[in-house]
Amino acid sequence: MNISGINYTSGVDNNIGNNRPGIPVVETGSANDAGITLLRQMSEGTVFSGTITDITQNRITIALSDNASVTATLSNALSYNIGDFASFSIKENLGEQIILQSHDNAQPNLMNDQTITTALKNANVEINPTTVELVKNLMSHGLPIDSNTVNQYVHMLDSVPTATPSEIVYLSRLSIPLTEGNLQAFRDFNDFNNGISNKLDNLNNEVFNIISSLSENSTQEAVGFIREFVDCFSQTMGNVETLKDTIPEKVLNKLAADIEQLVNMPEQNIEENVAKDNPKLIQREALLNLADKVRTGDVTAEKFLNSFTELSAAFDDADKPLKELLKSDGFKKLLDNFTRQEMLLKPEEFSKDNLKRLYAKIINDSNNIASKFSNGITQGLATGSTQIANEAVFMNELNNFMSFIQIPLKLSGQNGHGDLYVYSNRKHNAQDKDELKAMLHLDMDNLGPMDIFVRLQQNNVSTSFKVESDEVLNFVEAHMDELTKALNKAGYNVSSEVKLSDGKYNFTEKVVNEELKPAKIKRFSFDVRA
């Protein structure tokens, strides 16, 4: 290594008294004055850090601090990239020569890093693992580490104690306000498997659990909860599917039979109950008519729930058939159908305006749920709906910085759903101009979870399928020609692959870092004078 004379040698005599093959040696006489002044102040064992700001052939420039940089000649310079954050320690300080030890692969103890600890001391900030990690992240992102900046980020750490230094720096660079909601949404995006449709599954499970719990003590409390929950939703968008479009016939037949059981009273009691104007018998024909519509599937989930809650209001709290119906698998599937109609979008209905209206509806409806159900047994429901609203708000903030959208999808003709993520940098490199990337995360009853990655550049399309089992992998491979032919017919050149999921796709790594590639930083705004 040669920092304006730091020679990286391998068995070559540098005419120095302590020649050590392969060890970075600083020849201080011809080095950058500020950089050498900084190194001379450091005792043996001191660790320091810097950012690689330039690479020319096998020479690299490392920014250490304000007006302090060093240039190195490395035999392995190409192993570094502009923007890399590198750490070294002073192995020996011999006056005219400074011998360094690289810590790039040794996970250095940053608590001893002179650059980091000096920044914290100048900012009058306590030196602890969290603040050290914060300054390290600022430096690795090419951000200043002057007193004002460090204190600003420390204040953000204090405002949201659950945030890590890395998360704070990322959100700040994306110009997204640091809030608990935005922080959770940022975390949810990291594996792309916790989008709106997945959160909707969790919300549906919570709703069904509440209904089951309430019905144990009072079926009428459970019915009242269902009525209030349905009322939280504003007008449904697009063409609403009927039950037969999304729920299997076998399930509908069982649900219809359960409804009929509500009015299947002994024949000898009918006249007596009619004479007394029994509400059950008054509603008998209406319930049977509703059961017929469920059996044929010719009713929407919303209309069913509105009719059912009105008709079942006449039943006693202790009615066992009603309790069993409310806790049945068929009723749960119907509730799932309802919320998916309200918060998901069919692929064929997608447009910019529809997506905008859908997100406005998602935020409005989710906030309605959170405000109505915030205590006791329904607290979990409020939390889940708040998370859905936060995700939509976060995405709107993110879209101000990069072209990134999440489209929560409902799939016609099957009990499947998913989230489509489409993203592209607003600041394109020449090599990825007009490039569009997308990731579709699906969750289907028969195929299970599946991730599909698509990269489109002009007429070239590459797809990568990640599946959970060999059985699904073989199925997708067997039908891959159909996809290829369809895209070829549409004028696209296609390359595809199918492989088992490794569960390692990361939003920060694959999307955010592509947008936040470090610039060529010439210096840090940081005074290192002793």
Side-chain angles (χ1 to χ4, degrees):
M1 177 185 280
N2 187 308
I3 303 183
S4 292
I6 299 184
N7 293 314
Y8 183 90
T9 63
S10 181
V12 179
D13 185 0
N14 283 310
N15 297 317
I16 57 175
N18 278 318
N19 179 40
R20 292 168 173 77
I23 294 180
V25 179
V26 180
E27 295 180 359
T28 61
S30 58
N32 172 286
D33 288 343
I36 291 305
T37 299
L38 174 62
L39 294 184
R40 279 177 169 166
Q41 293 172 354
M42 299 180 187
S43 58
E44 294 178 5
T46 301
V47 180
F48 66 93
S49 304
T51 298
I52 308 300
T53 59
D54 190 38
I55 299 177
T56 303
Q57 295 181 343
N58 66 333
R59 293 176 67 82
I60 64 173
T61 300
I62 309 169
L64 302 174
S65 61
D66 189 23
N67 291 324
S69 63
V70 289
T71 299
T73 300
L74 291 170
S75 63
N76 60 341
L78 294 180
S79 66
Y80 288 94
N81 298 299
I82 292 176
D84 282 355
F85 182 74
S87 296
F88 304 89
S89 65
I90 305 295
K91 186 174 180 64
E92 291 185 52
N93 193 334
L94 305 177
E96 293 182 359
Q97 300 161 352
I98 300 174
I99 301 174
L100 308 179
Q101 176 69 50
S102 173
H103 279 260
D104 287 348
N105 299 316
Q107 298 297 320
N109 179 6
L110 295 177
M111 295 292 289
N112 296 323
D113 190 302
Q114 182 75 24
T115 313
I116 293 175
T117 56
T118 302
L120 292 170
K121 288 177 181 177
N122 286 353
N124 197 27
V125 170
E126 178 185 352
I127 299 175
N128 58 48
T130 300
T131 57
V132 166
E133 184 67 19
L134 173 63
V135 176
K136 178 206 168 188
N137 273 274
L138 291 173
M139 295 176 71
S140 64
H141 280 263
L143 297 173
I145 53 173
D146 59 278
S147 298
N148 289 337
T149 302
V150 171
N151 276 290
Q152 176 187 348
Y153 277 87
V154 168
H155 177 72
M156 286 192 281
L157 272 173
D158 291 339
S159 67
V160 183
T162 57
T164 67
S166 176
E167 290 168 336
I168 287 176
V169 173
Y170 269 117
L171 288 175
S172 176
R173 290 201 65 194
L174 291 168
S175 300
I176 294 176
L178 177 62
T179 65
E180 288 285 0
N182 284 338
L183 175 63
Q184 185 58 53
F186 179 77
R187 290 172 176 172
D188 289 343
F189 274 113
N190 263 337
D191 61 3
F192 273 0
N193 293 328
N194 201 15
I196 289 176
S197 68
N198 180 276
K199 284 184 172 63
L200 191 56
D201 280 346
N202 297 334
L203 184 139
N204 288 335
N205 289 333
E206 187 69 31
V207 169
F208 185 70
N209 290 337
I210 292 171
I211 293 172
S212 299
S213 179
L214 290 175
S215 63
E216 283 297 319
N217 298 319
S218 168
T219 54
Q220 285 308 307
E221 277 192 47
V223 169
F225 166 77
I226 296 170
R227 186 184 303 111
E228 289 186 343
F229 177 72
V230 173
D231 287 343
C232 288
F233 292 87
S234 52
Q235 184 176 357
T236 307
M237 287 180 53
N239 296 320
V240 182
E241 296 174 323
T242 56
L243 299 184
K244 64 185 177 183
D245 295 321
T246 56
I247 299 180
E249 182 180 351
K250 181 179 179 180
V251 176
L252 292 178
N253 286 335
K254 177 63 169 63
L255 185 58
D258 289 341
I259 296 172
E260 290 170 339
Q261 184 65 30
L262 295 177
V263 293
N264 188 23
M265 301 189 328
E267 192 68 27
Q268 64 270 24
N269 293 333
I270 291 179
E271 290 185 2
E272 178 184 356
N273 288 330
V274 168
K276 295 179 180 179
D277 293 329
N278 189 303
K280 289 182 183 178
L281 291 178
I282 294 175
Q283 305 293 345
R284 186 175 191 272
E285 292 302 320
L287 278 168
L288 290 175
N289 182 51
L290 184 60
D292 288 339
K293 289 182 178 179
V294 169
R295 180 172 281 109
T296 61
D298 293 324
V299 64
T300 66
E302 181 184 13
K303 288 184 178 179
F304 169 84
L305 289 171
N306 285 330
S307 297
F308 178 78
T309 53
E310 179 182 351
L311 294 171
S312 60
F315 286 79
D316 296 333
D317 275 348
D319 275 309
K320 185 177 180 180
L322 179 57
K323 180 188 298 185
E324 292 177 348
L325 186 150
L326 292 173
K327 298 172 69 173
S328 68
D329 180 64
F331 196 79
K332 182 180 187 303
K333 287 187 180 296
L334 191 142
L335 284 167
D336 291 347
N337 177 283
F338 168 71
T339 55
R340 289 180 186 180
Q341 297 287 340
E342 297 294 328
M343 289 194 173
L344 304 182
L345 193 67
K346 286 184 182 179
E348 60 268 29
E349 294 174 344
F350 172 72
S351 70
K352 201 170 187 179
D353 289 340
N354 276 351
L355 187 62
K356 184 177 180 180
R357 286 196 292 269
L358 176 66
Y359 270 94
K361 174 176 166 54
I362 287 174
I363 294 172
N364 178 72
D365 295 351
S366 298
N367 286 334
N368 284 343
I369 296 170
S371 61
K372 183 169 288 189
F373 305 106
S374 57
N375 297 308
I377 193 174
T378 62
Q379 179 61 53
L381 177 59
T383 300
S385 58
T386 297
Q387 289 177 353
I388 292 176
N390 285 341
E391 183 148 330
V393 171
F394 173 83
M395 192 153 12
N396 185 58
E397 295 280 358
L398 185 63
N399 200 247
N400 291 326
F401 190 85
M402 65 174 68
S403 296
F404 180 90
I405 56 173
Q406 175 191 177
I407 308 171
L409 299 175
K410 56 185 175 186
L411 307 181
S412 300
Q414 57 182 303
N415 192 21
H417 61 282
D419 293 285
L420 173 64
Y421 302 88
V422 182
Y423 48 97
S424 63
N425 292 353
R426 289 191 171 173
K427 302 173 183 176
H428 296 288
N429 296 323
Q431 63 186 26
D432 57 355
K433 185 178 180 181
D434 298 327
E435 183 180 71
L436 187 68
K437 304 171 190 175
M439 197 284 280
L440 176 61
H441 176 74
L442 298 176
D443 195 354
M444 296 173 286
D445 281 352
N446 296 327
L447 298 179
M450 178 188 301
D451 291 331
I452 306 169
F453 304 88
V454 181
R455 187 185 295 265
L456 172 64
Q457 189 169 24
Q458 296 179 339
N459 291 330
N460 299 313
V461 178
S462 63
T463 63
S464 176
F465 290 74
K466 288 188 177 182
V467 298
E468 294 293 319
S469 68
D470 289 323
E471 182 181 4
V472 176
L473 185 147
N474 293 333
F475 175 83
V476 174
E477 285 184 334
H479 293 272
M480 187 60 69
D481 284 346
E482 299 174 27
L483 173 64
T484 301
K485 289 177 181 178
L487 290 173
N488 287 156
K489 188 176 180 180
Y492 294 99
N493 302 314
V494 184
S495 62
S496 301
E497 66 173 357
V498 186
K499 55 186 178 182
L500 292 176
S501 176
D502 54 14
K504 294 180 180 179
Y505 194 85
N506 184 280
F507 168 73
T508 303
E509 183 179 307
K510 298 295 185 181
V511 179
V512 177
N513 283 344
E514 285 297 309
E515 184 69 23
L516 297 180
K517 289 179 180 177
K520 291 187 178 182
I521 301 155
K522 298 304 179 185
R523 67 181 187 178
F524 292 114
S525 297
F526 169 44
D527 188 354
V528 297
R529 290 173 294 179

